[in-house]
Amino acid sequence: MATPIAGSRPALPVKGLMTADRRRRALEVCGMHPDHQEALKKNRVMLAKQLLLSELLEHLLEKDIITLEMREHIQAKVGSFSQNVELLNLLPKRGPQAFDAFCEALHS
């Protein structure tokens, strides 16, 4: 049997983790909470019609929710509705803080 290296931690057995625990850990790292995704989905058409994108994008850029390249990609779409849809498609993939930053930007 191999001797563990001093100061190293044993690896967690992936098979031993429960499915819900694995999903929660993955969500903490990269995804938006399912409730927040659902709120965006339920309000998608209204948001796509009414968002004022320029200030919103600057706020999300400041909070490191989107990158400069993402902003340029969104702004390259023709028409405000298409731009808003592109942002709404992107937000759920931008991490657990994305929804709160989005809501904060809407209030300011």
Side-chain angles (χ1 to χ4, degrees):
M1 201 157 115
T3 307
I5 299 171
S8 68
R9 292 187 290 169
L12 290 174
V14 175
K15 291 181 182 177
L17 292 176
M18 295 172 45
T19 303
D21 190 40
R22 277 188 290 188
R23 192 174 342 147
R24 181 186 53 78
R25 287 182 185 195
L27 181 64
E28 289 172 357
V29 173
C30 62
M32 181 181 282
H33 191 280
D35 291 344
H36 295 162
Q37 290 180 11
E38 187 64 25
L40 288 176
K41 184 178 174 184
K42 284 185 177 183
N43 295 290
R44 186 174 177 83
V45 174
M46 184 269 305
L47 287 168
K49 287 180 180 179
Q50 296 182 6
L51 288 178
L52 300 175
L53 205 57
S54 59
E55 286 185 43
L56 186 59
L57 289 177
E58 293 306 315
H59 183 82
L60 295 174
L61 187 62
E62 179 183 297
K63 298 289 183 180
D64 291 324
I65 302 301
I66 64 169
T67 65
L68 285 170
E69 292 79 15
M70 291 172 184
R71 181 182 69 178
E72 290 171 7
H73 178 75
I74 291 167
Q75 290 175 329
K77 298 292 180 184
V78 177
S80 61
F81 186 85
S82 295
Q83 291 175 350
N84 291 342
V85 166
E86 191 64 30
L87 174 63
L88 293 171
N89 290 339
L90 184 65
L91 272 177
K93 303 169 192 163
R94 299 306 302 158
Q97 289 82 29
F99 186 79
D100 290 337
F102 177 70
C103 290
E104 183 181 318
L106 290 176
H107 290 346
S108 60

